[in-house]
Amino acid sequence: MDLSCLNTIDCQQGAVRAVRFNVDGSYCMTCGSDKKLKLWNPYRSLLLKTYGGHGNEVLDACGSCDSSQIVSCSSDKSAIVWDVSTGQPLRRLRGHAASVTCVKFNEESSVAVTGSLDNTVMCWDVKSRNTSPIQTLKEAKDCITSVQVTDHEILTGSVDCSVRRYDLRNGSCHADFVGAAITSVSFSHDGQCILVGSADSTVRLLDKNSGELLGEYVGHKTQDMNIESGIITSDNHVLSGSVTGELFCWDLVGGNVVKKYTHTSKKVLNSISIHPTQDIVLTASVQTIKVWGKAENAPENVVNV
Amino acid sequence: MSDSEEENFCYFGKPLEPYDEDAFPKKKPISVEDQIATDAQGRRRFHGAFTGGFSAGFFNTVGSLEGWTPREFKSTRSDKAQSKAQRPEDFMDDEDMGEFGIAPQTVRATSDYSTSKKRKKQVFSDGPIPGEPVLHSLLTSGNETIGYLLLKNIGLKNRAHAQVEDLAREDKVYGCEMPKTYEISRDDDVIQYPIPDIYREFLQKPKDNSFGLGYVGLDKTHVNLFQSSKLVIRDRNKKKVSISGQAFGVGAFEDDDEDIYVKDDMTKYDFELTSEKASQKELLSKKEKTIFDDFIHGKQPLALKENFPPPTIPHSFTGKHKVKRSRFEPLPEPETPERKDMNPEIRARYLGEETTPVVTVTNTTVEKIKEEPEPSPKKSFDLFAVSSSNLVFDRFVAASTPEDPSNILEVVPPTETEHGTQEMRDAARMKMFGPLTRISVDWQPCTLLCKRFNVPEPHCELNESKNRKRTKNLIFEYEKFSDVSLDFKPGLSTKQEEEVETETSNTVTEGTTEETQEKSDKEETTKVEESVNETPKDITEKIDVNKNLDLFKAVFLSSSESEDEEENEKEKVEKSTEMKSSVLSDSLLPRIKPIKEGILSNMDFSIFEPSNGRGEKAEDIQTENSTNSEPQKGELSYGPALPTNLASSSSGALSKSLPKYKNDDSDEWVEKSGDDKKSKHKKKHKKEHKKSSHKKKHKHKDR
C-alpha cells in the first residue's frame, strides 16, 4: 500500500491535539490547543468553520451520523455538542471531574460516550435535555485515554493497562489486561479484532471474543506520549503514529514494518484518522495536518470524496 | 447688668451657617381635609396604609393615559437555542416593586459596607504570598478616638496637644535612639487629654441608660404629686381644714368632685413585683449587719479543717526498692526499659492488656486488611489498633513505598502504580493473552442506553419480574378482592370463588394442560404469560393454603395421585431448572415459566384429596378467550382440563407437563422432553373429573 502526502494544512491552532474524519470522510475536524475546533475540507485545504466555546484545550471530536452535529471534548471537563451549520453550541455535557480525553457518537448519534481522566466513562443522551449522563462506567482504575463505539458495544482503553469492552446486547464487560498503559483502541473493520496501542511502543491486535493475541507490531517509539493507532480500511495494514514523527505501517498478518511515512521529522505524530471507506489517512503533528492517500487521489482528482 | 443681653451668653459649639430665608420656599400649612393618601397614579388609598389588592392597569384601565401600546414583535427564531431563564421580577410592575409591594426594591449597603456587628472570618486572597499580608500586621489604624475628634472640634485640641507633648518629652529612651522622623509614642494606648471640669463629672459617671439627660426616676419620697394647698386653717376643733381643690369649674353650691388626682401617696404603690411577705422579709433582713454591704454573718460555723500531719519517716528509709530474690521464683524483670524504647506493644504487655498487631495503613494491601479481626472492646484505649472493617478501602490502593510518619516533610519519590494482578502481568509479559488476562463481569446497561442503541436489554428475564409494568388485566385483578368476588360472579359457589382467586397461580397449570395445547390462541398464551409473570408475587400475597385446601387439592393432585407423591423434590427441581433452561433459551414469545419459587416449592401435597369439579376452575378466565376450547374438550366442562400429572409431583409436575404441552402444539413451542405414558394415564382421570363437573358447567354457559 503506497500512500503519498496529498495535502498539508497549517491549522493555525497552536498544537493540533486530534484530527478526525467525519462519518463519510468528506470533511475533517481538528482540535486545537487554542480551545477551538475547526472544520475543514482537507482535500481542498478549506477552513469551513471554527467553533469556539471551550474553556481549555480541545482534546477530541466526533461527527454525528448525519454530519449535522459535532461533539467535542476538552480539558475544561466538559463536552459540547455543536450545530455544524450555525456553529452554536447545542448542549454542554458537564459531569466529569477531570478533563475529558475522548468522545464518540454511537451509530445513531443519540448517545455521546466520553472518557475522562477521572477514570470514568459517561454515556450522555444527546436527544433529551438531561444534564446528567445516562450511565457512568466506573470499572477502570486509571484515566481513560480512548473510546470506541459500535452499534452494540463500547470499547474503552485506560492507563490501567486494560481494554474493556462493554457489550450491551449480552450485558457483559470484558476487561483484557494488556500489560502497558493503553493509548488508543480501535476495532478492525470486520469487528472481530481489537487494535490496542500502548505506551510501551507496542501495538497489539487482540481477538475480540477470546482476548487472545493475534499480532504484535513494534518498531515505533511512543515513549510516554498518547500516540494513536488504527487499522486501515482494507484490514490489511496497521498504522500508528510515533514520537519521531513517522507514520508507521505494518502488515497486519505478518507484523513487519512495511512503510514509514514522515510527517514532520522529530516532531511527535500523535493523532491519526482513517477514512471510513477509502485508503486515506489524516495525520496530525504539532501544528499541521497531512492528508495521505494513493497518488491518483490527489486533490485535483478528488471530486466526490 | 448694664451689659446687653447678648454679652451674657456663653457660646458652645459651632453656630450654623446663616441662610437666606427666601431661598427656601415656605410650606403653607395643608389643611387636614386636603391630606388624603394617594398612590402613584393618584388613586385614593384608604387610610394611607391599606394597599389591598393590586389595581389593574392605569386607573383600572390599561397601560397609560394613551392606552395600550402593543410591544413590537421581535423574532426569536434565531434565539431559540438560548435558554430563557425567567425571574419572578419579570412579572412584577412598579407597584410590586414599590414601597408597599411584594418585592420592594430598597437601597441597601453592600456587604463591604454593612454595619452588622458580625465579625466575619478574615479571608486572605491566595496570591503569590499566602496568608495575612505582612503590612496588615505592621501597620495599625490611627489612634484618634471619636472623643478626641469631638473635643478637637470644640477647640480643645491646642491646649491638650501642648500638654501631651510636654508629657512625651519627659520620656527617656534608652538604647538606640529612633531617628527623628519616626517616633513611636510610648503611650499609644493610654492617652490622657486634659478636659475641662464641666465634663469631668459627666465622664466619671457615664450614662448607662437610655433615659433622657438628667432624668431621675420616680421617687417614693415624692409623696405628693401635686403640692397640697397651702391654705390651711385650723378651725375651732383644732382640726386642720385645708382648702384645696380646683379653683375652676365647681360652683359654690355644688359638691366638689372627688379629687383623686391631687393627693396621692406614693407609698401605696409598689415599685417592684414582689409579694408582701417577701418585701417584709427584705425589710427585716436589711436590718441585719452587713459586712462590705453584701455579706452577712453565716449561721453555721465552719467545720474546722482537720490537720493530718505527714507520716514520720524512719531513719533507715532510703527510697530505693530492693527485691528479695527467692530461690523458687524466677529472676525478676530487668529494670524498666528506657522511655524511648517504649511502644504500645511493650506498654500493653506491662499493663497486662491483650494486644492486636498495629495496623499501619500504608504497608498492608487491601486483602490483608480485610482479614484482620475486630479489636475487642478492652482495647478502646489503644488508639492505634484500628479495625480494618471500619475503614473504606475499596477505592484506594496501598502505597507502594511505606511512609515515614516521623518526618512528614520528607520528599516522597514519585512511584508508578502497578495495575493488574501479578498473574496478569506475568501472562502479559509472556504474551499469553486470553483467559489469563481476561476478566469478564456482568454489566447491566441502563434501559435508556439500550433504547438509544436500539439494542434489546440483556438479562431481561431477570428484570421482567421486577421492572415490568403490571398490565392491568381485569381477569386477574379480582383476586385482590377475594371477599367481594361473589358479587361479581353470579352463580358461583364459594368453592369456585376460591378457585377463581387462585386463578393466576393456576394459569401455568392451565397453560400446560392438554386442553390448552389444542388452543393455539396467542392471545390466551400471552395472557397466561402475563399472569405467570404476575403470579410469583400474587401467589405469596393471596393464597393461604389452609384456607383453600380444596382448591389446592384440585390443582395439584388428581385422583390417582398417591403413588406419584414419593417423587423426590430434587428431581423436580432439577427438572424444572432443566426445563427452565430449555424454555428460556428459546427466544420465542410467549414462554411458559414454571413456578418453582414461592410458597409452593416445598409443599407436600399429600394432604390433599382429589376433589370434584376441578375442571371448571379455569373457566372464568378461559371462557373469555378460549371459546374455541370448549367444543374441543368434548362433553362436559368449560376451560382447560387439569393436568393430572401435576398432582402427582406437586409443583414439579408443572415443569414436567411443560414439555408435553409444547410437544402437541405447532411451531410455537419448544421440543418436549417428557414422557407420554403418564399423560395417557392422567387423561383417564381427567375424564372422571369432567363428568362430575357437569353441573357446574351449566352455570358458566352464559359466559
Side-chain angles (χ1 to χ4, degrees):
Chain A
M1 184 195 66
D2 251 328
L3 298 174
S4 55
C5 176
L6 303 175
N7 215 346
T8 305
I9 305 175
D10 182 6
C11 300
Q12 311 266 336
Q13 277 187 293
V16 177
R17 294 288 176 226
V19 62
R20 297 278 178 259
F21 266 118
N22 73 327
V23 69
D24 58 7
S26 49
Y27 303 106
C28 78
M29 298 156 281
T30 55
C31 311
S33 60
D34 67 342
K35 311 177 199 171
K36 301 273 195 299
L37 172 73
K38 289 190 179 178
L39 182 69
W40 307 82
N41 178 330
Y43 312 100
R44 296 181 204 272
S45 306
L46 287 174
L47 170 62
L48 300 168
K49 211 149 178 81
T50 306
Y51 303 90
H54 272 301
N56 210 329
E57 293 186 4
V58 187
L59 297 178
D60 196 2
C62 184
S64 68
C65 57
D66 54 359
S67 295
S68 67
Q69 292 177 348
I70 299 175
V71 62
S72 66
C73 65
S74 160
S75 300
D76 69 357
K77 307 181 198 171
S78 74
I80 298 180
V81 181
W82 308 87
D83 181 87
V84 172
S85 40
T86 62
Q88 292 301 311
L90 298 170
R91 302 275 322 280
R92 252 178 226 270
L93 311 173
R94 288 188 221 273
H96 278 293
S99 74
V100 189
T101 52
C102 44
V103 66
K104 281 286 181 296
F105 266 122
N106 72 332
E107 206 171 275
E108 290 173 1
S109 304
S110 51
V111 173
V113 179
T114 55
S116 159
L117 296 185
D118 68 355
N119 308 0
T120 61
V121 175
M122 289 186 179
C123 305
W124 305 86
D125 188 355
V126 175
K127 299 289 184 204
S128 74
R129 297 204 76 85
N130 209 348
T131 50
S132 53
I134 311 172
Q135 193 157 7
T136 306
L137 313 173
K138 295 188 193 167
E139 280 78 14
K141 303 280 180 299
D142 211 327
C143 312
I144 310 287
T145 51
S146 179
V147 79
Q148 285 290 335
V149 184
T150 64
D151 60 343
H152 65 281
E153 293 159 315
I154 298 174
L155 190 69
T156 68
S158 163
V159 175
D160 71 355
C161 315
S162 292
V163 53
R164 287 178 179 82
R165 184 171 62 86
Y166 296 86
D167 193 326
L168 273 84
R169 280 205 294 236
N170 296 343
S172 57
C173 164
H174 304 284
D176 287 309
F177 184 82
V178 161
I182 295 170
T183 56
S184 91
V185 290
S186 48
F187 281 103
S188 60
H189 283 82
D190 60 359
Q192 291 309 308
C193 308
I194 298 175
L195 190 75
V196 178
S198 46
D200 60 351
S201 305
T202 315
V203 180
R204 293 179 179 84
L205 186 70
L206 304 174
D207 181 74
K208 183 177 94 166
N209 294 313
S210 63
E212 282 165 11
L213 183 69
L214 299 174
E216 218 177 38
Y217 311 96
V218 293
H220 61 301
K221 288 206 188 81
T222 57
Q223 292 177 356
D224 54 353
M225 298 283 184
N226 209 340
I227 306 290
E228 291 178 4
S229 54
I231 303 181
I232 201 145
T233 322
S234 41
D235 268 356
N236 293 335
H237 296 92
V238 170
L239 296 168
S240 171
S242 68
V243 172
T244 49
E246 288 156 326
L247 175 69
F248 273 74
C249 182
W250 293 269
D251 180 55
L252 187 134
V253 176
N256 50 309
V257 179
V258 168
K259 217 53 194 276
K260 287 192 270 187
Y261 304 96
T262 309
H263 185 125
T264 312
S265 182
K266 295 180 193 161
K267 297 282 185 186
V268 176
L269 202 180
N270 59 313
S271 178
I272 68 170
S273 180
I274 300 171
H275 194 284
T277 49
Q278 296 179 28
D279 282 347
I280 300 176
V281 183
L282 285 170
T283 58
S285 174
V286 200
Q287 296 159 328
T288 59
I289 60 167
K290 279 188 193 267
V291 186
W292 303 84
K294 297 223 165 47
E296 54 268 24
N297 289 344
E300 314 71 85
N301 304 336
V302 169
V303 179
N304 293 327
V305 184
Chain B
M1 298 128 192
S2 57
D3 296 338
S4 60
E5 284 187 355
E6 282 140 11
E7 285 176 22
N8 286 337
F9 288 128
C10 192
Y11 290 96
F12 295 108
K14 228 194 253 179
L16 289 172
E17 283 166 5
Y19 63 90
D20 185 16
E21 294 238 348
D22 295 336
F24 305 105
K26 270 207 183 133
K27 257 190 179 178
K28 281 187 193 156
I30 309 167
S31 70
V32 177
E33 294 83 57
D34 294 338
Q35 286 178 20
I36 54 166
T38 52
D39 66 359
Q41 268 118 15
R43 287 169 291 204
R44 174 94 190 252
R45 214 189 248 141
F46 190 57
H47 292 153
F50 171 70
T51 52
F54 295 105
S55 48
F58 182 78
F59 282 112
N60 287 325
T61 59
V62 295
S64 65
L65 260 174
E66 291 76 31
W68 180 67
T69 32
R71 272 191 316 181
E72 277 180 28
F73 174 67
K74 266 185 252 166
S75 167
T76 51
R77 195 157 149 238
S78 54
D79 303 333
K80 265 188 189 167
Q82 293 172 359
S83 63
K84 291 168 206 161
Q86 290 189 314
R87 301 156 25 239
E89 283 74 18
D90 293 342
F91 298 96
M92 293 181 190
D93 63 0
D94 298 330
E95 223 173 45
D96 292 321
M97 307 280 211
E99 207 186 328
F100 303 106
I102 51 173
Q105 295 187 319
T106 56
V107 177
R108 266 195 296 254
T110 56
S111 57
D112 285 340
Y113 302 103
S114 71
T115 50
S116 71
K117 291 192 183 148
K118 247 185 177 178
R119 192 176 155 272
K120 289 187 180 161
K121 255 189 177 174
Q122 259 192 317
V123 175
F124 303 115
S125 59
D126 291 308
I129 307 167
E132 197 193 354
V134 183
L135 278 178
H136 280 207
S137 50
L138 280 179
L139 305 173
T140 54
S141 54
N143 51 11
E144 285 174 343
T145 59
I146 193 70
Y148 171 79
L149 294 171
L150 281 172
L151 294 177
K152 179 173 146 187
N153 220 10
I154 295 172
L156 296 173
K157 181 225 166 190
N158 296 325
R159 281 191 287 157
H161 201 63
Q163 289 185 11
V164 165
E165 278 173 355
D166 289 336
L167 291 166
R169 250 177 263 127
E170 290 168 14
D171 288 345
K172 284 187 182 170
V173 179
Y174 294 91
C176 299
E177 192 181 286
M178 295 301 265
K180 294 262 165 89
T181 52
Y182 179 66
E183 281 191 338
I184 308 168
S185 169
R186 298 221 152 238
D187 288 324
D188 267 349
D189 300 325
V190 181
I191 299 175
Q192 289 160 347
Y193 303 106
I195 44 169
D197 299 333
I198 51 165
Y199 299 119
R200 196 164 280 142
E201 189 194 300
F202 174 72
L203 288 172
Q204 269 166 1
K205 245 199 186 173
K207 214 168 179 303
D208 61 354
N209 53 36
S210 53
F211 299 130
L213 284 171
Y215 168 82
V216 177
L218 272 181
D219 201 351
K220 280 190 189 172
T221 57
H222 291 173
V223 175
N224 275 340
L225 288 177
F226 304 92
Q227 200 184 31
S228 62
S229 174
K230 290 202 170 151
L231 302 168
V232 179
I233 305 169
R234 284 188 191 273
D235 68 357
R236 274 169 231 150
N237 298 340
K238 294 202 180 166
K239 265 196 189 165
K240 254 193 191 173
V241 175
S242 68
I243 299 169
S244 59
Q246 295 170 317
F248 275 100
V250 183
F253 300 109
E254 289 157 7
D255 281 327
D256 206 353
D257 288 332
E258 205 179 300
D259 239 341
I260 54 171
Y261 300 107
V262 177
K263 273 193 184 168
D264 209 342
D265 190 357
M266 285 310 289
T267 52
K268 287 185 202 163
Y269 298 96
D270 285 326
F271 282 81
E272 291 159 341
L273 283 173
T274 52
S275 62
E276 291 254 340
K277 293 180 190 172
S279 55
Q280 291 280 321
K281 278 188 184 169
E282 224 186 72
L283 291 166
L284 287 171
S285 62
K286 271 186 180 168
K287 292 173 189 169
E288 286 184 42
K289 253 198 296 180
T290 53
I291 300 167
F292 302 127
D293 291 328
D294 285 325
F295 297 91
I296 55 167
H297 275 296
K299 304 258 164 76
Q300 291 165 340
L302 277 172
L304 283 170
K305 256 198 206 170
E306 242 191 84
N307 195 19
F308 297 101
T312 50
I313 300 163
H315 286 286
S316 57
F317 184 68
T318 52
K320 284 191 186 158
H321 179 61
K322 286 174 192 162
V323 178
K324 281 191 182 166
R325 279 170 50 171
S326 97
R327 287 171 285 179
F328 307 107
E329 283 175 16
L331 282 171
E333 293 255 355
E335 41 184 281
T336 54
E338 294 297 305
R339 187 179 58 81
K340 56 183 181 230
D341 292 339
M342 189 68 77
N343 73 27
E345 284 162 356
I346 300 175
R347 203 182 295 127
R349 205 175 348 124
Y350 279 111
L351 289 171
E353 292 176 342
E354 288 169 29
T355 52
T356 47
V358 171
V359 174
T360 47
V361 174
T362 52
N363 281 334
T364 55
T365 61
V366 176
E367 300 90 69
K368 214 165 135 193
I369 284 168
K370 282 185 178 154
E371 289 162 355
E372 301 246 340
E374 290 266 353
S376 67
K378 276 192 268 177
K379 283 181 272 39
S380 53
F381 294 122
D382 195 345
L383 296 171
F384 296 107
V386 178
S387 165
S388 55
S389 55
N390 292 339
L391 303 167
V392 178
F393 282 114
D394 55 348
R395 295 224 114 214
F396 295 90
V397 183
S400 47
T401 53
E403 209 176 68
D404 181 13
S406 60
N407 183 9
I408 52 170
L409 290 177
E410 200 178 288
V411 172
V412 178
T415 49
E416 294 272 318
T417 44
E418 284 186 334
H419 293 284
T421 62
Q422 187 59 42
E423 297 89 48
M424 282 174 131
R425 271 178 268 141
D426 294 334
R429 217 175 310 129
M430 290 189 287
K431 301 188 187 171
M432 288 170 28
F433 292 95
L436 279 173
T437 55
R438 176 166 274 221
I439 302 174
S440 297
V441 290
D442 274 340
W443 169 69
Q444 180 62 29
C446 240
T447 2
L448 182 60
L449 195 65
C450 293
K451 208 164 71 166
R452 290 272 178 258
F453 270 81
N454 205 12
V455 154
E457 235 191 282
H459 312 304
C460 57
E461 8 1 302
L462 295 171
N463 290 339
E464 254 178 27
S465 53
K466 299 173 209 165
N467 300 338
R468 268 189 53 125
K469 267 189 181 175
R470 300 294 159 91
T471 51
K472 289 235 167 184
N473 198 331
L474 292 173
I475 292 168
F476 302 119
E477 280 267 71
Y478 54 41
E479 69 155 26
K480 294 179 190 171
F481 306 102
S482 52
D483 298 326
V484 198
S485 56
L486 258 179
D487 303 329
F488 294 85
K489 284 160 248 335
L492 267 183
S493 69
T494 41
K495 211 182 192 183
Q496 288 209 321
E497 174 210 315
E498 289 169 345
E499 295 163 0
V500 148
E501 267 175 57
T502 54
E503 204 48 74
T504 51
S505 66
N506 301 320
T507 48
V508 174
T509 66
E510 272 127 37
T512 58
T513 57
E514 292 133 35
E515 320 298 319
T516 49
Q517 287 167 21
E518 289 150 13
K519 291 174 249 156
S520 50
D521 197 330
K522 247 197 177 163
E523 189 195 18
E524 192 244 344
T525 53
T526 51
K527 279 215 172 121
V528 169
E529 189 201 16
E530 284 168 353
S531 64
V532 163
N533 288 329
E534 290 178 328
T535 46
K537 204 178 179 182
D538 295 335
I539 289 176
T540 51
E541 282 174 9
K542 303 301 166 193
I543 295 166
D544 181 4
V545 177
N546 298 321
K547 238 203 275 175
N548 310 322
L549 261 183
D550 290 340
L551 168 67
F552 282 98
K553 284 188 238 164
V555 175
F556 298 103
L557 293 175
S558 67
S559 52
S560 65
E561 268 0 289
S562 35
E563 65 267 28
D564 300 35
E565 285 158 7
E566 285 101 55
E567 267 198 28
N568 55 357
E569 219 172 349
K570 200 181 179 187
E571 206 184 9
K572 293 175 220 158
V573 171
E574 278 173 23
K575 285 204 172 141
S576 67
T577 48
E578 181 193 17
M579 280 342 304
K580 232 185 195 171
S581 53
S582 64
V583 170
L584 298 177
S585 60
D586 193 302
S587 58
L588 290 173
L589 286 175
R591 283 185 229 123
I592 300 300
K593 282 165 236 178
I595 303 168
K596 276 315 297 165
E597 60 273 13
I599 59 167
L600 303 175
S601 50
N602 288 335
M603 273 181 61
D604 176 25
F605 292 98
S606 58
I607 53 171
F608 299 131
E609 300 159 88
S611 74
N612 301 325
R614 278 316 312 149
E616 345 36 284
K617 146 188 75 58
E619 279 161 34
D620 290 346
I621 290 172
Q622 302 306 337
T623 44
E624 285 180 66
N625 5 324
S626 55
T627 43
N628 33 336
S629 69
E630 284 137 51
Q632 288 169 11
K633 258 176 240 132
E635 71 272 48
L636 291 167
S637 63
Y638 273 68
L642 278 175
T644 47
N645 56 333
L646 266 187
S648 68
S649 52
S650 51
S651 48
L654 296 171
S655 52
K656 267 205 270 170
S657 50
L658 213 72
K660 251 194 311 146
Y661 175 29
K662 289 185 217 112
N663 190 35
D664 293 336
D665 214 0
S666 57
D667 45 359
E668 286 169 333
W669 305 101
V670 174
E671 293 296 308
K672 93 155 193 176
S673 60
D675 43 331
D676 288 342
K677 281 185 190 170
K678 270 195 176 151
S679 62
K680 284 184 190 164
H681 175 66
K682 268 128 204 172
K683 262 185 181 161
K684 246 200 258 173
H685 297 283
K686 269 197 185 154
K687 282 195 177 164
E688 287 174 12
H689 283 295
K690 281 170 204 167
K691 279 180 187 164
S692 55
S693 68
H694 119 101
K695 277 184 194 168
K696 284 178 181 165
K697 168 209 168 191
H698 170 69
K699 287 174 192 164
H700 295 291
K701 236 186 186 167
D702 304 326
R703 293 201 171 211

